[in-house]
């Protein structure tokens, strides 16, 4: 039996302990999907099929060019705290669906395409919301949060995997320098599918960072996300922004609302002038002094940027069994700080891959990219 190193890394990145990962791969004969099922089932291999607990009733539906298995449970829940690995994930709302990317054939490596599909859907919804509300409000942007539903998650997975299969066909038949490996990077997906599948998206910038326990590390996740938010605020943009976070072998989507901008248009200035008048040319005592105060309004502009009244969103096509979530999901957050805390729970720095792993390889493993995206 051959166990691929990238499968071990992928399962560890999903939050499973290394010892359990080795056991699952041994039981499944080195099959990643089987190992995921084994781990999600609490150590009971059900062989083949989709994700979820072994006691759940499942329904299998076949749709060309791939098949998927769905769970019968479906939930839209509201929480204010979820214990994940002994830490609190302070999200506000949670939306789940009936499947994850692992429920679909060929879906295990499609997370970048799924995340970009979600970005297109979400930002398009924000544009539609702004257009529909323009007649009643010309200042405040609208929230696309109403579009985050179970159906939204189902559609992003289906369309994202279909897009991934099309791009894989292109890369496999192309003589270009693009990678022919199973996972496609964010750069590859945007370059190959940027003019077709993701033509509505504009990538403004790519930030490269390294996961670190130091929250103030210049290239750390917290620092870079704060930097992106500050730049968005300085530009006084009224557009929603989507951020593709890729950390091999996973990709997720983060959505930043436009900052709340308050503008003051006028201010008042007061001027005083002194006038003297001599009532008699012969006597100094008859001289009087008059003070005249003139008030005038001078137009000015004062801009104050505060926290947005709209939530931040995290959209993820992976199951997160360590957080009690076994399907794709979307979470909303009231602040950037709580969003960052949640993302750091998903992607903690890793320093225990083994004594034979050199430091350069460890740094590469902890590296990540952030692609800032807006609607064209």
């Amino acid at each position: 039996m051959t166990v691929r190193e990238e499968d071990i890394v992928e399962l560890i990145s999903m939050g499973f302990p290394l010892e359990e990962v080795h056991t699952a791969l041994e039981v499944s004969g080195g099959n990643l999907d089987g190992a995921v099922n084994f781990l999600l089932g609490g150590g009971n291999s059900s062989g083949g099929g989709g994700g979820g607990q072994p006691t759940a009733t499942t329904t299998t539906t076949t749709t060309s060019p791939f098949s998927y298995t769905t769970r019968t449970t479906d939930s839209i829940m509201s929480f204010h705290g979820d214990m994940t690995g002994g830490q609190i994930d302070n999200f506000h709302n949670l939306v789940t669906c009936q499947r994850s990317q692992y429920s679909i054939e060929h879906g295990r490596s499609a997370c970048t395409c799924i995340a970009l599909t979600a970005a297109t859907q979400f930002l398009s919804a924000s544009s539609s919301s702004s257009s529909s509300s323009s007649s009643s409000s010309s200042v405040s942007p609208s929230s696309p949060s109403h579009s985050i539903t179970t159906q939204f998650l189902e559609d992003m997975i289906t369309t994202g995997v279909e897009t991934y299969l099309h791009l894989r066909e292109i890369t496999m038949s192309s003589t270009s320098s693009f990678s022919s490996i199973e996972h496609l990077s964010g750069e590859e997906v945007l370059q190959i599918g940027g003019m077709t599948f993701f033509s509505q998206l504009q990538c403004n910038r790519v930030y490269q960072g390294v996961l670190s326990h130091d929250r103030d590390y210049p290239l750390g996740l917290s620092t870079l996300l704060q930097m992106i938010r500050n730049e968005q605020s300085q530009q006084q943009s009224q557009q929603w922004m989507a951020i593709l976070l890729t950390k091999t072998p996973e990709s997720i989507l983060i959505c930043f609302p436009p900052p709340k901008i308050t503008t003051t248009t006028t201010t008042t200035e007061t001027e005083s002038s002194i006038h003297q008048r001599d009532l008699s040319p012969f006597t100094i005592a008859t001289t009087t002094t008059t003070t005249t105060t003139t008030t005038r309004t001078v137009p000015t502009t004062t801009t104050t940027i505060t926290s947005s009244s709209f939530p931040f969103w995290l959209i993820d096509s992976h199951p997160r069994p360590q957080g009690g979530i076994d399907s794709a999901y979307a979470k909303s957050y009231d602040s950037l700080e709580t969003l960052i805390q949640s993302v750091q729970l998903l992607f903690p720095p890793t320093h225990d891959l083994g004594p034979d792993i050199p430091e350069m390889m460890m740094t590469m493993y902890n590296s990540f990219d952030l692609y800032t995206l807006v609607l064209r």
Side-chain angles (χ1 to χ4, degrees):
M1 178 192 68
T2 302
V3 175
R4 301 191 308 169
E5 182 179 346
E6 54 264 36
D7 290 343
I8 296 175
V9 171
E10 180 163 355
L11 291 172
I12 290 175
S13 68
M14 291 174 63
F16 297 111
L18 179 60
E19 183 177 349
E20 294 182 16
V21 166
H22 282 298
T23 301
L25 288 171
E26 289 177 3
V27 170
S28 65
N31 180 271
L32 180 61
D33 293 331
V36 170
N37 292 335
F38 180 85
L39 292 165
L40 291 177
N44 296 313
S45 178
S46 57
Q53 299 298 329
T55 56
T57 302
T58 60
T59 302
T60 303
T61 305
T62 302
T63 304
S64 179
F66 49 77
S67 63
Y68 58 86
T69 303
T70 62
R71 295 182 297 107
T72 56
T73 56
D74 179 23
S75 58
I76 299 178
M77 299 173 284
S78 178
F79 293 96
H80 292 280
D82 174 38
M83 294 304 295
T84 305
Q87 302 181 59
I88 296 180
D89 181 2
N90 293 305
F91 61 88
H92 184 265
N93 287 312
L94 170 66
V95 181
T96 64
C97 69
Q98 296 178 325
R99 52 186 173 150
S100 72
Q101 68 182 69
Y102 298 110
S103 306
I104 302 180
E105 185 180 1
H106 307 299
R108 71 176 191 176
S109 301
C111 54
T112 300
C113 290
I114 294 173
L116 289 173
T117 299
T120 302
Q121 294 176 183
F122 186 89
L123 294 178
S124 296
S126 74
S127 178
S128 300
S129 298
S130 297
S131 299
S132 63
S133 65
S134 60
S135 58
S136 60
S137 175
S138 59
V139 178
S140 299
S142 297
S143 173
S145 297
H146 67 276
S147 68
I148 303 295
T149 62
T150 294
Q151 192 60 50
F152 174 97
L153 298 174
E154 294 278 351
D155 291 344
M156 81 172 187
I157 294 174
T158 301
T159 305
V161 174
E162 290 176 341
T163 301
Y164 167 76
L165 292 176
H166 285 300
L167 296 184
R168 287 289 299 151
E169 290 179 2
I170 294 174
T171 57
M172 294 299 289
S173 61
S174 174
T175 57
S176 68
S177 59
F178 288 119
S179 173
S180 60
I181 62 175
E182 189 173 357
H183 287 87
L184 298 176
S185 69
E187 182 180 1
E188 286 177 321
V189 172
L190 287 171
Q191 288 192 34
I192 302 171
M195 298 302 293
T196 51
F197 302 104
F198 305 115
S199 58
Q200 293 177 271
L201 298 179
Q202 174 179 309
C203 181
N204 287 338
R205 187 172 175 182
V206 181
Y207 298 78
Q208 295 181 321
V210 179
L211 298 175
S212 172
H213 290 293
D214 182 2
R215 287 182 57 84
D216 297 324
Y217 181 55
L219 296 179
L221 186 60
S222 177
T223 301
L224 292 183
L225 287 176
Q226 290 281 3
M227 181 186 302
I228 292 173
R229 183 58 170 174
N230 291 339
E231 291 178 357
Q232 183 191 23
S233 299
Q234 291 170 4
Q235 295 169 1
Q236 300 184 22
S237 172
Q238 290 297 282
Q239 280 186 293
W240 281 77
M241 175 186 290
I243 302 169
L244 173 68
L245 190 163
T246 63
K247 193 271 177 189
T248 304
E250 296 184 11
S251 296
I252 64 171
L253 189 72
I254 297 169
C255 298
F256 278 7
K260 185 177 180 181
I261 300 176
T262 304
T263 303
T264 303
T265 57
T266 60
T267 188
T268 301
E269 293 183 355
T270 301
E271 292 182 348
S272 298
S273 58
I274 300 177
H275 305 280
Q276 287 187 340
R277 184 163 61 94
D278 191 350
L279 299 180
S280 170
F282 307 105
T283 307
I284 296 180
T286 58
T287 300
T288 63
T289 300
T290 304
T291 301
T292 303
T293 301
T294 303
T295 302
R296 64 190 182 92
T297 300
V298 180
T300 61
T301 300
T302 303
T303 301
T304 304
I305 300 175
T306 59
S307 299
S308 174
S309 57
F310 300 129
F312 297 81
W313 280 95
L314 166 63
I315 303 174
D316 188 0
S317 60
H318 303 82
R320 301 296 177 181
Q322 70 272 35
I325 302 175
D326 61 355
S327 71
Y329 66 93
K331 291 180 181 179
S332 68
Y333 300 84
D334 292 332
S335 69
L336 177 58
E337 179 63 26
T338 54
L339 167 69
I340 291 175
Q341 291 174 1
S342 184
V343 176
Q344 288 176 327
L345 291 178
L346 294 180
F347 301 107
T350 302
H351 301 290
D352 57 355
L353 290 179
D356 298 330
I357 304 298
E359 187 167 341
M360 180 66 71
M361 288 290 293
M362 196 71 69
T363 299
M364 292 177 62
Y365 177 77
N366 285 303
S367 65
F368 64 89
D369 293 323
L370 299 170
Y371 299 77
T372 58
L373 308 163
V374 295
L375 209 60
R376 290 186 186 275

